[in-house]
């Protein structure tokens, strides 16, 4: 059985973005119940040199839309990344899910062999075949930021566990 590039990325992104949305909703409720300023969570980070929760969610969405778009050979949508609240993060996740939902599986045909060029024309330019881009770069980056968002919230007392991270599958 052959696993298509579409099947290897779009459902995975949708699943974990869905779980991230649920985790954020639980965090917002947790903050309200305990009368904790939501910014305490939105600006929380694992270590001072790491991005806060807000940015982790934005970057996870950037990878979900960017990886999907590049592999489908469509323009990567540009988002402002100006979210500052749970409601705005929920809207960002929903917008990202809507975008990747709209990418028909046929767009991914041949994606495993498609050349993906990141940061073209710069000293940091990287070239990948589509398969390697997804498996060795895109998915690990996405998982890192979703996992870091989870860890920030769990480390700050939000009662979530592995089942919440995994989401619906």
């Amino acid at each position: 059985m052959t696993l298509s590039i579409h099947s290897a990325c779009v459902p995975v992104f949708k699943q974990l973005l869905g779980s991230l949305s649920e985790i954020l909703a639980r965090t917002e409720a947790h903050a309200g119940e305990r009368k904790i300023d939501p910014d305490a969570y939105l600006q929380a980070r694992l270590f001072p040199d790491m991005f806060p929760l807000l940015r982790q969610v934005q970057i996870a969405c950037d990878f979900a839309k960017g990886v999907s778009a590049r592999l489908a050979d469509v323009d990567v949508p540009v988002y402002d990344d100006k979210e500052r609240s749970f409601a705005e993060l929920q809207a960002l996740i929903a917008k990202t899910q809507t975008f990747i939902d709209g990418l028909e599986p046929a767009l991914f045909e041949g994606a495993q062999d498609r050349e993906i060029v990141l940061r073209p024309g710069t000293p940091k330019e990287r070239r990948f075949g589509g398969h390697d881009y997804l498996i060795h770069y895109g998915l690990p980056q996405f998982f890192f930021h979703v996992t870091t968002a989870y860890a920030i919230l769990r480390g700050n007392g939000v009662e979530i566990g592995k089942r919440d991270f995994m989401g619906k599958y």
Side-chain angles (χ1 to χ4, degrees), residues 93-114:
I93 291 170
K95 180 169 55 171
T96 304
Q97 288 175 314
T98 298
F99 171 73
I100 62 176
D101 261 344
L103 297 172
E104 295 296 323
L107 293 171
F108 292 82
E109 289 178 15
Q112 66 277 0
D113 300 320
R114 188 169 288 134

Side-chain angles (χ1 to χ4, degrees), residues 11-168:
V12 173
F13 292 143
K14 287 171 51 177
Q15 176 184 336
L16 287 217
L17 288 174
S19 71
L20 189 55
S21 176
E22 290 294 322
I23 288 169
L24 291 175
R26 287 188 51 189
T27 302
E28 186 174 24
H30 175 90
E33 291 162 6
R34 289 165 178 77
K35 303 200 183 335
I36 297 171
D37 180 359
D39 246 15
Y41 293 109
L42 295 167
Q43 295 304 322
R45 52 186 84 217
L46 291 177
F47 197 76
D49 68 350
M50 293 181 75
F51 288 126
L53 175 68
L54 271 168
R55 191 72 185 117
Q56 298 293 343
V57 174
Q58 291 166 339
I59 295 170
C61 289
D62 287 346
F63 273 99
K65 71 178 168 75
V67 169
S68 298
R70 287 181 188 96
L71 290 169
D73 201 24
V74 299
D75 290 337
V76 177
V78 177
Y79 298 165
D80 292 335
D81 288 341
K82 293 184 180 181
E83 295 77 20
R84 295 291 171 255
S85 68
F86 283 109
E88 290 172 341
L89 287 177
Q90 292 288 9
L92 173 64
I93 291 170
K95 180 169 55 171
T96 304
Q97 288 175 314
T98 298
F99 171 73
I100 62 176
D101 261 344
L103 297 172
E104 295 296 323
L107 293 171
F108 292 82
E109 289 178 15
Q112 66 277 0
D113 300 320
R114 188 169 288 134
E115 184 178 47
I116 307 295
V117 182
L118 301 177
R119 298 183 185 107
T122 72
K124 292 185 175 186
E125 180 176 286
R126 294 279 315 262
R127 293 177 178 271
F128 298 89
H131 176 269
D132 288 344
Y133 171 67
L134 175 64
I135 300 301
H136 299 293
Y137 182 79
L139 286 174
Q141 292 280 355
F142 175 74
F143 284 127
F144 175 84
H145 293 286
V146 173
T147 301
T148 302
Y150 169 89
I152 288 169
L153 296 173
R154 185 68 187 108
N156 278 280
V158 179
E159 295 175 6
I160 51 178
K162 183 178 179 180
R163 188 174 306 167
D164 302 302
F165 176 85
M166 292 296 295
K168 295 177 180 133

